Amino acid sequence: MIKRIIAYSEGSDDVATRDFYVQVLGFEVAMDSPALGLRSGDNPVAQVLVLPPGSGDPVPRWGIDLGGPEAVDAAHAEAVRRGLRVVYPLTDESWGVRRFFVEDPGGNVVNVLAHLTGGSRTE
């Protein structure tokens, strides 16, 4: 089950980027680290994750929260079975997310994730 889809952006100025999304567009700050996580107050699954420049290679285009770690494991197994390019290995991150990055057939990198605790924070 897909719980949410997170758009990814890169930002060069944390204060200006935060002010733009919060003061101009009305997002709330949901997370400060390892990236700036923003969400709608009215619809908390509407989210944007702003990655600092140089935060990683490859940088995903978006993230898809599958709701639970077991769903991430199943998606990973299916991606491997199909011979898709996994560009970031299946990992339990220190901030409580299980994820991997996979390249879709169009060459877009997708962060497939779920929170280990079952919560729906921004990642």
Side-chain angles (χ1 to χ4, degrees):
M1 168 167 76
I2 298 169
K3 292 191 70 123
R4 64 194 166 116
I5 297 174
I6 307 121
Y8 288 83
S9 175
E10 288 186 276
S12 59
D13 181 343
D14 288 339
V15 173
T17 299
R18 177 188 302 258
D19 287 350
F20 171 76
Y21 283 99
V22 171
Q23 295 175 5
V24 176
L25 298 178
F27 279 86
E28 298 175 346
V29 175
M31 178 176 72
D32 285 323
S33 178
L36 176 61
L38 303 150
R39 69 175 169 220
S40 165
D42 295 333
N43 181 7
V45 297
Q47 300 178 356
V48 174
L49 192 67
V50 181
L51 304 170
S55 63
D57 183 30
V59 174
R61 301 269 308 213
W62 55 79
I64 299 177
D65 184 340
L66 296 181
E70 64 287 341
V72 173
D73 293 344
H76 181 267
E78 183 64 14
V80 169
R81 187 187 73 75
R82 291 176 178 260
L84 296 172
R85 184 170 168 248
V86 174
V87 297
Y88 184 84
L90 186 61
T91 304
D92 288 345
E93 302 291 0
S94 62
W95 57 90
V97 170
R98 183 164 184 78
R99 69 180 183 163
F100 71 99
F101 295 179
V102 63
E103 192 174 78
D104 76 10
N108 299 296
V109 175
V110 180
N111 179 6
V112 180
L113 66 114
H115 288 91
L116 292 168
T117 60
S120 63
R121 301 173 308 209
T122 301
E123 174 331 41

